[in-house]
């Protein structure tokens, strides 16, 4: 892992659903927080411009940015779900996936969904016990994702931090 930044404990997962609320969500993240820039469905040119703006804001606010997907975006502090330089994070929905991510060199694993989430309505959730089991057995920092907010995070054991979309948006305030 890059020693340029310590591994954040609080993360914003971006996607198109945030719309213009992305800017408020970035402003709500505390200094030292992290951003996983996804925006998979955004056309390439627009995605690069959006990413550049996110990076500029992140630098001004002391945030770490990792980029997801198979594209080259300058200015990231690392990558999500792929090989690359800097901080390497990965998502996992089971113990098998989490262990595979660590084998591939992940510095941290986002385990999800811990709780029901608007991102995957009606989807299967790990629940507290299932997610905590993964967190105990992985061997790298584990970030809770899926229906997360600060209150729910404090109900969990074994997690390094938490990530969300909605908890950082206007809808959550």
């Amino acid at each position: 892992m890059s020693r340029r930044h310590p591994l954040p404990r609080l993360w914003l997962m971006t996607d198109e659903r945030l719309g213009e609320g992305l800017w408020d969500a970035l402003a709500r993240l505390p200094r030292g927080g992290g951003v996983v820039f996804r925006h998979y469905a955004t056309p390439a040119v627009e995605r690069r411009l959006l990413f550049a703006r996110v990076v500029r804001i992140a630098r001004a606010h002391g945030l770490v940015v990792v980029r997801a997907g198979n594209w080259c975006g300058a200015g990231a502090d690392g990558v999500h779900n792929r090989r690359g330089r800097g901080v390497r994070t990965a998502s996992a929905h089971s113990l098998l996936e989490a262990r595979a991510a660590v084998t591939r060199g992940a510095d941290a694993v986002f385990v999800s969904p811990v709780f029901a989430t608007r991102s995957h309505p009606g989807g299967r959730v790990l629940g507290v016990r299932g997610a905590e089991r993964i967190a105990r057995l992985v061997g790298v920092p584990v970030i809770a994702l899926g229906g997360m907010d600060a209150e729910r995070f404090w109900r969990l054991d074994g997690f390094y931090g938490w990530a969300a979309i909605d908890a950082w948006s206007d809808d959550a305030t």
Side-chain angles (χ1 to χ4, degrees), residues 57-78:
I57 291 169
R59 294 295 164 260
H61 291 97
L63 305 174
V64 172
V65 180
V66 298
R67 61 179 171 75
N70 294 322
W71 64 286
C72 296
D77 299 303

Side-chain angles (χ1 to χ4, degrees), residues 48-143:
R48 280 181 171 69
L49 292 171
L50 184 63
F51 180 73
R53 185 174 174 195
V54 166
V55 167
R56 279 192 308 274
I57 291 169
R59 294 295 164 260
H61 291 97
L63 305 174
V64 172
V65 180
V66 298
R67 61 179 171 75
N70 294 322
W71 64 286
C72 296
D77 299 303
V79 293
H80 182 70
N81 283 336
R82 59 180 309 224
R83 293 188 188 274
R85 293 186 177 167
V87 177
R88 293 166 303 197
T89 63
S91 57
H93 305 91
S94 68
L95 179 57
L96 184 64
E97 288 180 7
R99 286 183 168 159
V102 172
T103 299
R104 288 190 310 273
D107 297 308
V109 177
F110 290 83
V111 171
S112 75
V114 178
F115 298 102
T117 175
R118 285 186 2 176
S119 298
H120 304 285
R124 182 182 135 302
V125 299
L126 293 166
V128 171
R129 285 193 179 136
E132 287 176 343
R133 179 176 178 268
I134 295 169
R136 282 192 311 273
L137 297 174
V138 172
V140 299
V142 178
I143 311 297

Side-chain angles (χ1 to χ4, degrees), residues 148-155 162 167:
M148 290 304 304
D149 59 26
E151 184 177 318
R152 284 183 164 176
F153 174 70
W154 293 114
R155 293 175 27 199
W162 61 275

